[in-house]
């Protein structure tokens, strides 16, 4: 039985592409906040498999990675009962609204997206229309659910801007239809750096495997990577300008233990970097242990995963279709 409540929580939507296993940086900077927001917000989280099509992944691999990413979202503690956790392509409304929004997006404004310009340069052999329309599909993801907030990293801020522009234009031309979403920038640990070059962001596409920790790295590998993390020659654990390596390790340690920098400095006063690195690795291993255990359990039960994904899609579709129907009516499409 559903509880009757008059309280409406603000709506949050975010999505992640199923391209590769997220790093510790993605986890601390984004995914962990997704989980923290679940209490105070009405959250919807999606695996953006339609977005992944722009790079032409091998079909069997995309299917597998989509399921893995879905399992990972549940593993970090997103509750499919309390929130809505779904796979984008299982909700047809996304592709449908994207087309309508395509017609309310100017070629010029979409051409200005820096990610489109970067990606077209990097993959000059596959500059497809999907890559161009990518931010408009993302706008559909957000606007379908009347989201108030969208947790995004710096690289997606421009896409959220164009989403707001498209929504405002549509609302002005066709009457109020969409909520204008705000970006939601996390507080702590927003940016975790590479373990090998702490002036750079930790990235899953870094060619040096020691630079990043994946959420599914086994404990011994995590320990090894932290032991070889780049630091400095001062041999003092303190947070200061110019100590990018130590600052990064302190940030990671702080995020995993909840301790602040002063407490960490006190804990390691007079100790060398060797001890500190091992302690950071252990804290990360403990933080990820339940995630990895959940993941193994879930991946061993594909039937459960598929069933949960189907239920998530149904829940999402019920909400998405309300907005879609409204938009279709506003632009003059006949409804059956
Ligand atoms: N484009 C986002 C990324 O690559 C993923 C994404 C798709 C997204 N749809 C979204 C993020 C909607 C926020 C809201 O990171």
């Amino acid at each position: 039985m559903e509880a009757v409540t008059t309280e409406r929580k603000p709506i949050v939507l975010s999505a992640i592409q199923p391209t590769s296993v997220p790093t510790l940086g993605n986890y601390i900077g984004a995914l962990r906040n997704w989980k923290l927001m679940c209490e105070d917000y009405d959250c919807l989280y999606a695996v953006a498999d339609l977005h992944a099509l722009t790079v032409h992944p091998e079909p069997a691999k995309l299917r597998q990675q989509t399921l893995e990413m879905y399992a990972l979202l549940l593993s970090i503690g997103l509750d499919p009962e309390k929130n809505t956790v779904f796979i984008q392509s299982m909700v047809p409304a996304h592709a449908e609204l994207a087309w309508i929004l395509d017609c309310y997006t100017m070629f010029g404004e979409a051409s200005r997206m820096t990610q489109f310009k970067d990606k077209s340069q990097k993959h000059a052999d596959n500059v497809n229309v999907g890559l161009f329309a990518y931010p408009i599909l993302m706008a559909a993801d957000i606007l379908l659910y009347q989201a108030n907030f969208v947790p995004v990293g710096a690289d997606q801020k421009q896409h959220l801007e164009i989403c707001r522009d498209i929504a405002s234009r549509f609302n002005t031309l066709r009457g109020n239809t969409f909520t204008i979403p705000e970006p939601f920038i996390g507080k702590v640990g927003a940016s975790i750096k590479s373990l090998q070059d702490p002036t750079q962001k930790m990235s899953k596409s870094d060619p040096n495997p020691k630079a990043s920790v994946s959420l599914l790295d086994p404990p011994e590998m995590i320990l090894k990577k932290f032991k070889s993390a780049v630091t400095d020659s001062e041999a003092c654990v303190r947070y200061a300008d110019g100590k990018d390596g130590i600052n990064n390790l302190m940030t990671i340690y702080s995020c995993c233990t909840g301790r602040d920098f002063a407490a960490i400095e006190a804990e390691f006063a007079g100790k060398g970097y060797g001890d500190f690195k091992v302690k950071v690795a252990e804290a990360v291993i403990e933080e990820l242990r339940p995630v990895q255990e959940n993941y193994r359990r879930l991946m061993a039960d594909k039937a459960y995963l598929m069933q949960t994904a189907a239920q998530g899609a149904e829940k999402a579709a019920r909400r998405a279709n309300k907005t879609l129907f409204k938009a279709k009516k506003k632009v003059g499409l006949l409804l059956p």
Side-chain angles (χ1 to χ4, degrees):
M1 201 171 62
E2 222 167 285
V4 180
T5 168
T6 49
E7 170 209 21
R8 273 251 184 95
K9 295 176 179 174
I11 299 169
V12 163
L13 178 129
S14 202
I16 185 165
Q17 288 197 53
T19 29
S20 56
V21 180
T23 65
L24 182 65
N26 302 131
Y27 177 68
I28 291 177
L31 295 174
R32 214 171 58 141
N33 293 332
W34 288 17
K35 155 112 174 95
L36 294 174
M37 297 180 86
C38 288
E39 287 304 319
D40 301 326
Y41 299 89
D42 172 9
C43 297
L44 298 115
Y45 296 120
V47 179
D49 56 344
L50 292 175
H51 280 101
L53 290 180
T54 53
V55 296
H56 298 174
E58 212 255 295
K61 195 168 168 202
L62 176 62
R63 261 190 292 276
Q64 177 68 15
Q65 287 184 322
T66 301
L67 197 68
E68 287 174 359
M69 186 59 83
Y70 189 74
L72 206 54
L73 293 186
L74 301 186
S75 304
I76 62 170
L78 301 182
D79 181 343
E81 297 288 327
K82 264 205 253 157
N83 300 283
T84 306
V85 190
F86 66 103
I87 294 169
Q88 182 190 33
S89 68
M90 291 186 182
V91 182
H94 290 247
E96 233 178 310
L97 182 64
W99 171 255
I100 295 175
L101 298 181
D102 281 344
C103 301
Y104 285 79
T105 307
M106 297 301 124
F107 194 87
E109 68 182 334
S111 311
R112 281 194 291 276
M113 295 293 108
T114 53
Q115 196 174 79
F116 172 68
K117 289 192 264 187
D118 287 353
K119 285 192 183 169
S120 343
Q121 256 177 14
K122 272 192 210 139
H123 311 280
D125 55 330
N126 183 20
V127 186
N128 58 66
V129 174
L131 195 65
F132 186 69
Y134 177 115
I136 308 159
L137 176 60
M138 182 166 156
D141 298 343
I142 297 165
L143 300 178
L144 275 175
Y145 301 96
Q146 309 288 351
N148 301 100
F149 297 108
V150 182
V152 281
D155 64 324
Q156 296 296 320
K157 263 179 82 178
Q158 198 186 26
H159 289 164
L160 193 60
E161 272 312 310
I162 197 176
C163 169
R164 290 164 53 90
D165 292 344
I166 297 166
S168 305
R169 177 178 302 122
F170 192 99
N171 285 350
T172 305
L173 290 171
R174 294 286 163 250
N176 218 5
T177 311
F178 302 119
T179 302
I180 310 293
E182 305 280 339
F184 188 97
I185 312 286
K187 282 170 270 158
V188 278
S191 180
I192 300 297
K193 309 292 183 198
S194 155
L195 298 182
Q196 292 300 312
D197 177 1
T199 61
Q200 299 297 313
K201 198 176 136 187
M202 181 181 283
S203 159
K204 46 192 172 187
S205 54
D206 198 307
N208 183 349
K210 285 201 268 177
S212 70
V213 172
S214 132
L215 285 197
L216 299 175
D217 277 350
E220 28 338 320
M221 191 184 286
I222 296 177
L223 181 62
K224 232 166 135 181
K225 286 180 178 174
F226 276 100
K227 279 186 172 169
S228 64
V230 167
T231 51
D232 55 61
S233 56
E234 192 196 29
C236 176
V237 177
R238 64 184 185 98
Y239 197 95
D241 275 352
K243 288 173 69 74
D244 297 319
I246 289 298
N247 294 350
N248 189 39
L249 294 179
M250 285 178 73
T251 304
I252 294 171
Y253 192 62
S254 172
C255 288
C256 294
T257 61
R259 264 167 246 173
D260 63 18
F261 292 153
I264 298 169
E265 286 171 5
E267 181 181 352
F268 294 98
K271 294 192 183 131
Y273 288 164
D275 287 344
F276 178 51
K277 286 178 176 180
V278 170
K279 277 289 197 314
V280 179
E282 284 171 353
V284 170
I285 291 165
E286 281 319 306
E287 174 77 22
L288 297 186
R289 187 187 306 282
V291 177
Q292 298 190 351
E293 280 171 8
N294 290 339
Y295 181 79
R296 278 193 291 271
R297 186 169 41 76
L298 286 167
M299 284 307 287
D301 192 350
K302 300 243 158 76
Y304 168 80
L305 276 177
M306 285 307 291
Q307 192 196 337
T308 308
Q311 284 164 357
E314 209 185 297
K315 235 164 105 178
R318 263 200 305 273
R319 296 173 67 166
N321 285 338
K322 285 193 188 139
T323 306
L324 177 66
F325 286 176
K326 214 163 138 186
K328 284 172 105 170
K329 229 156 91 185
K330 295 251 165 122
V331 296
L333 298 175
L334 279 175
L335 298 174

